[in-house]
Amino acid sequence: MSDALVIGLDIGGTSTRALVASLAGDRVSTGTAGGGNPTSHGAEAAAAELGKALTEALAAVDPRWVHAGTIGLAGVARLLADPASRAAFDRAWADAGLRCPYELIGDALVAYASGTASPDGTVLIAGTGAIAATIRGFALDRVSDGHGWLLGDAGSGFWLGREAVRATLAAMDASRPLGRLSRAVVAALLGPADHPLTAGRSDLGGTVSARDRVDLLVQRVTRRPPVELAKLAPLVITAHAEGDPTATALLAESARLLTESVARIREPGDPSPIVLAGGLLTGDTPLAPAVERELSARWPEAPRPRASDGAAAAAWLAARPLLTPVEAAALHARLFPFY
């Protein structure tokens, strides 16, 4: 079976990525398409993007050489519970010429496998939302948070954006001078510094009371989809770099909350890896080192790799049942040579 191939797909809300790999660790071909999550795009549209990514990845590959596949995406339980969605994915798989089985798994397991070959550990994801999960034998074990913007996602991009607005409203209520972060929030929601509303004037040249400006700010937030608050998270990062104490405090609290999410499901002193995933923890942000310091204080012996290529991780997970543990570890090292 040394010439066998596997295929992995990492499906998100904005993009779908596929990788065909050999059991020797060669990256044979790739495919990309638009967002393919059925929760956000609907089953048929999601399956169509899945089909595009598969077709591109298999353009120069005989599908009969592919022996296994794995598809990773958020909200996998909803897809598995919906026969229409699963049927749409099955059709896209078959239409691409694939006859091998495929497995649907959650994005947390894909993120974990992109950071380590250890069968047991923890993954912490912080992007628009936030979730932590423990992994046992490359299966999802316990989960913490991921409760969505209304009930949880503590420390996430949404949380940072919401807290930035709340801090701004508190300063405005108290008639305190606005700091860098609050000024940036007002400009983002009401307009730049020379905009009439930002400057406290109406479009007709009159003045706008302090309370009116507060109400306008609230309306600008509440009339938009709640998830758009996550777009304000970069303002916190920028203001922190400029020395704004409110932004610095918010990032410190975010790191604490994310670490507490891990602590709810991870035993003290556990030396297994903690994989950091999501844009806030894999990008060049001040939150990533802050979280690493918090995690290191509680689990000093635990490695803290960062998640990387989700499609490669999905391909590796597809290959694992076809390999011995030693071979699987070697394949992971080939696919992720930077670890």
Side-chain angles (χ1 to χ4, degrees):
M1 192 174 288
S2 60
D3 58 346
L5 301 177
V6 292
I7 188 167
L9 291 105
D10 182 23
I11 297 180
T14 59
S15 67
T16 299
R17 297 174 56 253
L19 172 68
V20 176
S22 73
L23 297 187
D26 300 312
R27 292 173 177 252
V28 177
S29 59
T30 62
T32 59
N37 193 299
T39 301
S40 53
H41 297 282
E44 293 301 328
E49 298 303 321
L50 168 64
K52 292 177 184 177
L54 288 172
T55 299
E56 183 177 326
L58 296 169
V61 175
D62 188 334
R64 293 175 298 178
W65 298 345
V66 180
H67 286 240
T70 296
I71 299 175
L73 75 164
V76 67
R78 289 188 291 272
L79 188 149
L80 291 172
D82 179 12
S85 295
R86 183 59 191 262
F89 270 49
D90 287 345
R91 286 194 300 273
W93 192 263
D95 289 347
L98 292 164
R99 297 296 178 262
C100 64
Y102 72 93
E103 184 180 9
L104 285 161
I105 64 174
D107 58 341
L109 184 54
V110 170
Y112 177 79
S114 75
T116 181
S118 173
D120 304 321
T122 304
V123 59
L124 173 62
I125 305 174
T128 298
I131 189 171
T134 53
I135 308 299
R136 294 290 177 265
F138 282 110
L140 202 63
D141 183 27
R142 301 175 65 191
V143 178
S144 176
D145 208 345
H147 300 145
W149 64 268
L150 184 61
L151 299 174
D153 288 350
S156 66
F158 170 86
W159 183 92
L160 283 170
R162 184 193 64 192
E163 294 305 305
V165 175
R166 292 181 67 186
T168 300
L169 292 172
M172 294 171 75
D173 284 346
S175 299
R176 295 196 303 268
L178 300 186
R180 287 181 174 85
L181 175 59
S182 292
R183 291 197 301 271
V185 168
V186 171
L189 296 174
L190 298 183
D194 58 352
H195 190 280
L197 290 177
T198 307
R201 303 188 307 272
S202 72
D203 291 332
L204 300 177
T207 60
V208 176
S209 72
R211 187 62 204 179
D212 286 341
R213 292 179 70 217
V214 167
D215 290 341
L216 285 168
L217 200 66
V218 171
Q219 290 171 23
R220 291 292 170 88
V221 171
T222 57
R223 289 177 179 176
R224 298 176 181 180
V227 71
E228 288 196 9
L229 280 170
K231 295 179 179 179
L232 301 178
L235 302 183
V236 181
I237 293 170
T238 300
H240 163 76
E242 296 172 347
D244 183 88
T246 300
T248 299
L250 288 180
L251 287 169
E253 179 65 4
S254 172
R256 187 191 69 80
L257 290 170
L258 292 169
T259 303
E260 285 300 321
S261 184
V262 173
R264 285 195 290 271
I265 57 173
R266 183 179 171 94
E267 295 299 324
D270 185 345
S272 66
I274 305 173
V275 177
L276 304 182
L280 286 173
L281 299 182
T282 58
D284 184 18
T285 74
L287 183 59
V291 168
E292 289 205 51
R293 287 192 295 271
E294 293 271 355
L295 295 174
S296 177
R298 296 204 183 198
W299 298 280
E301 298 181 13
R304 296 177 299 279
R306 298 192 183 187
S308 57
D309 188 341
W316 182 73
L317 289 168
R320 280 187 68 252
L322 308 177
L323 302 170
T324 68
V326 172
E327 291 171 337
L331 176 59
H332 195 279
R334 286 288 303 274
L335 290 174
F336 302 97
F338 36 84
Y339 289 123

